[in-house]
Amino acid sequence: MAINIVVPSLGESVVEATVAEWLKKEGDAVAVGEALVRLETDKVDLEVGAEQAGVLAQIAQPQGADVQVGQVLGMLNLAGESRAAAAPAAPPAALRADDKATPVARRVAQEAGVDVSRVPGTGPGGRVTKADVQGFAGQPKEEQPTAPVMPPPPPPTTAAPTVVSADAGRSVERVRMSRRRQTIARRLVEAQHTAAMLTTFNEVDMSAVMDIRSRRKESFKEQHGIGLGFMSFFTKAVIAALKAFPRLNAEIEGDEIVTKHYYDIGVAIGAAEGLVVPVLRDADRMTFAQIEQAIKAFAQKVDQGTLTLDDLRGGTFTITNGGVFGSLLSTPILNAPQVGILGMHKIESRPVVVNGQIVIRPMMYLALSYDHRLVDGREAVQFLVKVKQLIEDPEALLLEA
């Protein structure tokens, strides 16, 4: 008896995916729950596992193929059927039946020649992470298990780069854009074509926040197990400004204005395939420590490739921090259908005038991009001034929060 391997439900608003990698080849025995194929959507990667033990009889959709929910990816002959000479052997004791490894960890393991099934996992639910593989690969040879290394998966069939020679000594490389990169490109162009997008700028003196962090960082970390970063301050300041200027927490649906009376703040995090924006749900109800812990957890998920669609769903306003990459000033693009996004930047010591005196202060440029169809210039400027005032006066920030 054979069963179809189909594209599962991909979550809210996601109906298509790309076959990123087959983790098994035709004829391979698989255990219940073992990952067969990795799919790439415009938001996250996910693995499709075997519903029953058996043998991978057919691959219907090769690597690089675009597929839709419910479409057949391949066929699985159940254990004991005639496709294989024998039912799949039980995996060795050291091999986890479901081979829990993130896509990033799997790729690093392949590059390092490491059998990922032998790597102890420290991630959620025992999942093997990139750091686990790197640590395992760095052990002395005599410490590593002597089991044979699993062969790498078959070479890509459609998504491999094509090198085209032009003139002597010169070449170009053509690589198909990933689904996520295609979606990022499309959404960014749509945002600029559909919104009347403008950006207003200001600068903020970071002295007060940096002083608090310097005085409180040790006790904060001891109490909460997390460092006190800048993002919690800016998240709280943004929420207070959104309450004062609610149009920035709204969106346009047809000819209606939909104002949100909750505060789901998206935090842009850099990933290999481009920025992703996981969302802090009800951020107005979160403490500084909870905000910092949630952002750290999101960053770990990004690194491990374990972000879920629910992590990315919705959002009423977005904060992006180009300063972590050294950006001094930029114009952030709206995360549609949101109508506002705050851009943070690099902190630099600059001469400024305070009470008639020239002093050196740690300054940061802030940028607010907004949809002028809904937000007037006056309230956009006032919103950004409100954020500036709260960051420069953290006592007021704490009182408003």
Side-chain angles (χ1 to χ4, degrees), residues 21 23 38 102-117 119 129-131 133-134 136-138 141 144 149-153 156 272-273 303:
E21 177 187 10
L23 308 174
R38 180 167 60 85
T102 68
V104 174
R106 197 182 300 280
R107 184 176 69 249
V108 172
Q110 291 172 2
E111 294 171 351
V114 170
D115 181 356
V116 73
S117 67
V119 181
T129 68
K130 172 183 173 183
V133 175
Q134 291 173 331
F136 183 87
K141 294 296 182 183
Q144 296 189 17
V149 175
M150 297 292 288
E273 285 295 322
D303 186 56

Side-chain angles (χ1 to χ4, degrees), residues 67-352:
V67 293
Q68 296 184 340
V69 173
Q71 190 168 349
V72 176
L73 295 166
M75 187 175 295
L76 184 72
N77 274 354
L78 301 187
E81 299 299 323
S82 59
R83 168 74 188 194
L95 176 63
R96 289 178 303 279
D98 55 0
D99 192 12
K100 295 180 181 176
T102 68
V104 174
R106 197 182 300 280
R107 184 176 69 249
V108 172
Q110 291 172 2
E111 294 171 351
V114 170
D115 181 356
V116 73
S117 67
R118 302 283 175 176
V119 181
T122 62
R127 197 168 174 86
V128 177
T129 68
K130 172 183 173 183
D132 294 332
V133 175
Q134 291 173 331
F136 183 87
Q139 294 177 8
K141 294 296 182 183
E142 59 271 16
E143 294 182 12
Q144 296 189 17
T146 57
V149 175
M150 297 292 288
T157 57
T158 61
T162 302
V163 178
V164 182
S165 296
D167 298 327
R170 299 191 296 177
S171 66
V172 297
E173 181 182 72
R174 297 183 185 274
V175 181
R176 181 181 179 184
M177 292 174 70
S178 69
R179 176 169 292 276
R180 191 167 308 144
R181 177 54 62 182
Q182 292 177 48
T183 301
I184 290 172
R186 174 177 53 79
R187 285 175 58 85
L188 292 179
V189 171
E190 286 177 354
Q192 296 193 81
H193 283 179
T194 60
M197 192 167 65
L198 293 179
T199 305
T200 184
F201 302 94
N202 213 316
E203 61 179 351
V204 58
D205 185 344
M206 297 296 294
S207 298
V209 169
M210 293 177 71
D211 178 62
I212 290 176
R213 292 180 71 232
S214 177
R215 289 187 289 107
R216 300 288 186 178
K217 63 180 180 181
E218 296 300 332
S219 59
F220 188 88
K221 190 167 187 177
E222 287 179 8
Q223 182 177 356
H224 302 290
I226 188 73
L228 178 59
F230 293 119
M231 285 303 299
S232 51
F233 286 92
F234 276 94
T235 300
K236 288 294 187 181
V238 159
I239 292 168
L242 289 173
K243 290 179 178 180
F245 302 95
R247 284 283 182 94
L248 271 297
N249 203 50
E251 64 181 70
I252 297 174
E253 287 187 4
D255 58 358
E256 294 181 335
I257 299 172
V258 181
T259 303
K260 312 294 179 60
H261 297 294
Y262 55 90
Y263 305 91
D264 288 354
I265 306 300
V267 180
I269 298 176
E273 285 295 322
L275 285 177
V276 291
V277 188
V279 177
L280 300 170
R281 309 283 172 200
D282 295 316
D284 56 316
R285 302 178 185 178
M286 301 174 73
T287 65
F288 278 68
Q290 288 171 335
I291 291 172
E292 297 293 347
Q293 289 163 348
I295 293 174
K296 181 180 179 180
F298 284 145
Q300 290 174 338
K301 282 187 172 184
V302 169
D303 186 56
Q304 298 166 4
T306 57
L307 273 179
T308 67
L309 291 170
D310 192 58
D311 291 330
L312 304 172
R313 175 178 51 82
T316 62
F317 187 93
T318 295
I319 303 174
T320 180
N321 185 5
V324 297
F325 305 110
S327 172
L328 183 62
L329 187 63
S330 66
T331 303
I333 297 177
L334 290 172
N335 183 17
Q338 299 170 22
V339 297
I341 180 171
L342 178 74
M344 299 164 55
H345 297 90
K346 179 182 178 182
I347 299 173
E348 279 203 334
S349 295
R350 295 199 298 270
V352 295

